[in-house]
Amino acid sequence: MTEELSKTQRLKEITSILRQHSFISNFYHQTNPDEILATFQELGPTFIKLGQMLSTRPDLVSPEYITALRTLQDKVPADDYQTVSQIFQTETGKSIDEVFKTFEDQPFASASVGQCHYATLPDDTKVVVKIQHPAVSRLIKVDLALFKKAIKLLKYVPGDLSVVDLDAVVDQLSASLLSEVNTLQEAKNGVEFYDLNNGDDIIQVPRVYLKYCHQKILVNEAMKGKSIKHLISQPLPEDQEQAQQLKDIQSQVAQILVKNFIKQVFVDHFFHADPHPGNILFYQVDSDNPSMATDHEYTKQFGDLTIHFSSQRQLPDYRLVYLDFGMMGTLTSAMADDIAQIIIALTSKDNYRISRAVLNVCNRTGEVDEQKFIREFSQFVRPYLNTQLANINIPQMLYAITQLCRNNHLQLKPEVTLLFKAFGTLEGTIAKLDPSLSMMDVAKPFAKDYFKRHFNWKDVVTTHLGSTYNNLEAAARLPEKMERTMDQVATGDTKINLHYIGQKRVLAKLDQLLNRLLLVIMLASLILSSSILVVGSRDRFIYRLGTAGWIIAIVVSIALVISSLRKKWKH
């Protein structure tokens, strides 16, 4: 595809592929997910990323679509070495041979945005060089421009889309894709993720060599290992002891992944948003040279004397490696705290607290009956609290939650959707590694650590002392308040305001009904008066005036019928 690709050419190509797979009909009715999968695959990187994003949006697609779209792979044919060499020369002003000591002509992986080659730096450091495909940046920008135009047309599509912020969906997709084609941003993400997570227990992160990175070129450290799916699919040995050892490793790896992910979200507020098995490597290390990790450190200064304590433990003989930092998520401290409150509420199994915490991470798209939502959500979440992750259909559960929110005029905030994607992707890996892991196994250690980090006994004591003083003061004034209230009741000055659930909605419907009734009466009067004018008048002007009244009444009546039918069809 040439760099001069126009919007018109691209639109024709998109239209042809959409028609070939009956995309609009299938997507609207949520049928034939395989056809939708093939459509995204053929349309290229923008649509592949859109499909991957939709796989995390149970408020937009059905569980069947989510399951299908999660399998989207962005493998594309690799560019030849001459093309790669030309891109490198254009970006850096140097040839590949001038920069690298060795460079493998054939890539070992090729995705929708770029392809990866093994190479070595002048100091013999082994690295991976990711080079962007030609014209992919232009293609993505054209597709995004077409998306924004298409969004304006969706308001004419029947169905309730008010609970979905489609502009926010496109903005999120744009930010993700533009960040991915801007390799320098991915490099900066990699540097930050390395500083925060490399060496956290058995987690390793490749070092990024910013000196060699450019707009379309990324250079980072080559890492050992194979995809973690090899550990998942490894058959159990016949020897019971060896089989148990493998199970223990899988269980420990699952717990470490969960612990590290929780750290990324609630401590760093910067998390890997695409942790699929291809982006997590696993490998064994030499057990004869064990590595140590520091768990706890304590330092205290007494004048000129400094006392330092630390405890260390031996790390197991395997490592986990995170790769690919093109799609990262960030959370504000306030949003992270709101999400943390949901997990803490889960540990207490307090349905009311859980429901209130969920309300805090939602936008309101209309009038919300909080008590109704709390009742419905409490009933919904109860069966999941002690269920193992392997037995929970995460897409189905998220779909049910978003439908429950939709029915109560609630919409999950945009910041949460990328976290949904990351958790949904990682959950599949964790459930396969350790099917016995439950939501409570995940939530309880987190709640304990979160409480330790945020608990300040001085603040608690100060707050409670203040509250106690205020309560005692209020109690002393209670007899005076009661006497004043009884006097108001006796003199008839007290007023009681009663409101019932859904009052505004009922009043709005009543107002609409009265307006319709008034309009019908006016139409009937117009028809009656026009009939009198037509039948009883001999003057030509009066006759035409009566006829005009008839025509106006007929047009208004037809408009009312069409409006009523349109609302029923849209519903």
Side-chain angles (χ1 to χ4, degrees):
M1 191 170 293
T2 64
E3 190 71 33
E4 290 75 23
L5 174 74
S6 70
K7 291 182 182 178
T8 304
Q9 290 174 315
R10 181 58 174 164
L11 183 57
K12 288 180 179 178
E13 182 183 359
I14 292 172
T15 305
S16 174
I17 295 174
L18 293 181
R19 188 184 300 118
Q20 178 184 343
H21 294 282
S22 302
F23 179 88
I24 295 177
S25 174
N26 285 326
F27 192 83
Y28 183 77
H29 297 289
Q30 298 287 286
T31 55
N32 298 321
D34 292 339
E35 288 292 318
I36 301 299
L37 203 64
T39 305
F40 285 137
Q41 202 80 53
E42 290 181 33
L43 286 172
T46 314
F47 286 83
I48 289 172
K49 294 299 177 185
L50 175 62
Q52 291 173 343
M53 183 176 293
L54 286 174
S55 72
T56 70
R57 296 299 302 265
D59 52 338
L60 297 178
V61 295
S62 67
E64 292 76 18
Y65 266 46
I66 289 175
T67 302
L69 292 173
R70 280 186 177 181
T71 65
L72 262 177
Q73 298 295 321
D74 53 357
K75 293 180 180 179
V76 299
D79 300 318
D80 57 37
Y81 180 74
Q82 184 178 358
T83 303
V84 169
S85 179
Q86 181 60 48
I87 295 172
F88 192 89
Q89 180 81 36
T90 303
E91 287 294 311
T92 66
K94 299 179 181 179
S95 68
I96 289 177
D97 293 337
E98 289 180 86
V99 177
F100 300 105
K101 188 173 183 178
T102 65
F103 187 93
E104 293 189 7
D105 296 354
Q106 295 298 319
F108 66 88
S110 179
S112 57
V113 174
Q115 61 190 55
C116 298
H117 298 254
Y118 285 120
T120 55
L121 298 177
D123 62 357
D124 291 328
T125 301
K126 295 181 179 180
V127 295
V128 171
V129 183
K130 180 180 177 181
I131 298 183
Q132 198 175 112
H133 295 304
V136 70
S137 177
R138 169 66 180 164
L139 174 64
I140 287 174
K141 289 176 181 177
V142 168
D143 285 347
L144 291 176
L146 293 174
F147 280 171
K148 289 181 179 179
K149 289 186 177 181
I151 288 296
K152 297 177 182 178
L153 301 176
L154 286 178
K155 64 181 179 180
Y156 301 108
V157 176
D160 184 12
L161 295 175
S162 62
V163 293
V164 180
D165 190 347
L166 292 175
D167 289 321
V169 173
V170 173
D171 288 343
Q172 183 183 349
L173 176 66
S174 300
S176 174
L177 282 167
L178 294 177
S179 173
E180 192 155 347
V181 297
N182 181 2
T183 305
L184 288 176
Q185 182 59 50
E186 182 178 349
K188 292 175 183 177
N189 290 341
V191 170
E192 184 173 358
F193 197 80
Y194 176 91
D195 293 338
L196 293 171
N197 293 281
N198 189 57
D200 180 42
D201 205 282
I202 63 170
I203 302 294
Q204 292 186 343
V205 181
R207 185 185 298 274
V208 178
Y209 297 96
L210 286 174
K211 174 183 175 181
Y212 299 97
C213 295
H214 294 269
Q215 185 72 33
K216 297 183 179 181
I217 298 169
L218 176 68
V219 180
N220 56 29
E221 181 183 3
M223 304 299 288
K224 299 178 181 178
K226 294 182 178 180
S227 167
I228 198 171
K229 64 184 178 183
H230 291 285
L231 175 64
I232 296 171
S233 60
Q234 191 171 337
L236 289 175
E238 293 184 2
D239 182 79
Q240 289 188 355
E241 184 176 348
Q242 292 180 350
Q244 187 59 47
Q245 287 178 351
L246 178 59
K247 288 181 179 180
D248 291 342
I249 290 175
Q250 291 174 334
S251 177
Q252 290 167 11
V253 166
Q255 292 177 28
I256 290 169
L257 283 172
V258 171
K259 183 179 177 182
N260 178 257
F261 183 72
I262 287 175
K263 169 189 169 294
Q264 292 176 36
V265 174
F266 298 105
V267 179
D268 305 335
H269 302 161
F270 183 73
F271 60 93
H272 198 302
D274 194 22
H276 63 76
N279 284 339
I280 303 176
L281 306 183
F282 174 87
Y283 72 95
Q284 301 280 153
V285 296
D286 186 3
S287 58
D288 295 332
N289 297 307
S291 300
M292 305 298 291
T294 301
D295 280 341
H296 304 285
E297 287 189 281
Y298 176 79
T299 302
K300 189 70 175 177
Q301 189 79 28
F302 296 97
D304 296 333
L305 179 64
T306 302
I307 299 177
H308 178 80
F309 297 98
S310 65
S311 63
Q312 292 187 320
R313 61 183 173 84
Q314 182 177 325
L315 291 175
D317 58 350
Y318 47 83
R319 298 289 181 269
L320 292 173
V321 181
Y322 270 104
L323 301 175
D324 191 353
F325 309 106
M327 189 181 293
M328 306 299 292
T330 57
L331 293 172
T332 63
S333 297
M335 177 57 69
D337 286 342
D338 286 340
I339 298 171
Q341 293 305 319
I342 297 176
I343 301 178
I344 292 172
L346 285 170
T347 64
S348 65
K349 299 183 181 180
D350 185 335
N351 295 334
Y352 180 82
R353 284 187 64 191
I354 298 171
S355 306
R356 295 295 311 179
V358 171
L359 280 171
N360 290 335
V361 298
C362 291
N363 291 322
R364 303 190 179 208
T365 59
E367 184 183 358
V368 177
D369 183 347
E370 293 188 4
Q371 296 305 316
K372 173 176 173 288
F373 173 76
I374 289 171
R375 268 195 320 272
E376 293 177 357
F377 193 86
S378 298
Q379 186 177 1
F380 165 79
V381 79
R382 194 176 296 116
Y384 289 101
L385 294 179
N386 290 313
T387 305
Q388 296 174 349
L389 284 178
N391 296 329
I392 298 177
N393 185 330
I394 293 293
Q396 183 68 52
M397 184 183 76
L398 295 180
Y399 182 76
I401 289 175
T402 52
Q403 291 302 308
L404 183 59
C405 290
R406 178 195 296 265
N407 295 337
N408 287 276
H409 306 292
L410 294 168
Q411 176 193 81
L412 289 168
K413 292 181 178 179
E415 307 96 293
V416 183
T417 58
L418 203 58
L419 183 59
F420 260 12
K421 170 180 169 54
F423 174 73
T425 304
L426 192 63
E427 173 272 334
T429 301
I430 292 168
K432 290 174 183 175
L433 285 167
D434 186 0
S436 65
L437 196 64
S438 72
M439 291 181 72
M440 289 298 100
D441 293 331
V442 175
K444 285 180 180 177
F446 164 77
K448 183 179 178 181
D449 292 341
Y450 186 89
F451 180 77
K452 286 180 180 178
R453 289 197 308 270
H454 291 78
F455 179 76
N456 187 318
W457 68 270
K458 291 183 180 179
D459 291 342
V460 173
V461 170
T462 302
T463 301
H464 281 289
L465 283 176
S467 299
T468 302
Y469 174 77
N470 291 333
N471 290 336
L472 289 173
E473 191 178 43
R477 295 198 302 267
L478 187 60
E480 179 186 347
K481 290 182 178 180
M482 290 181 65
E483 182 181 2
R484 189 183 306 126
T485 301
M486 296 302 294
D487 288 343
Q488 289 174 345
V489 171
T491 58
D493 293 335
T494 301
K495 295 181 180 179
I496 300 177
N497 293 321
L498 296 177
H499 296 273
Y500 57 88
I501 295 173
Q503 172 178 296
K504 290 184 179 179
R505 186 169 62 253
V506 173
L507 291 177
K509 287 287 186 182
L510 183 60
D511 183 61
Q512 184 182 8
L513 180 63
L514 290 175
N515 288 335
R516 285 289 180 91
L517 181 60
L518 180 61
L519 184 58
V520 169
I521 293 173
M522 292 175 64
L523 283 174
S525 300
L526 180 61
I527 292 171
L528 181 60
S529 59
S530 298
S531 299
I532 294 172
L533 290 175
V534 170
V535 174
S537 176
R538 297 179 182 178
D539 186 273
R540 195 168 187 179
F541 175 75
I542 300 298
Y543 178 84
R544 288 178 178 176
L545 187 62
T547 304
W550 268 351
I551 294 173
I552 292 172
I554 292 171
V555 170
V556 173
S557 299
I558 293 173
L560 285 174
V561 172
I562 292 174
S563 175
S564 178
L565 291 175
R566 184 174 176 275
K567 285 183 179 179
K568 289 183 179 180
W569 178 68
K570 189 173 182 179
H571 179 73

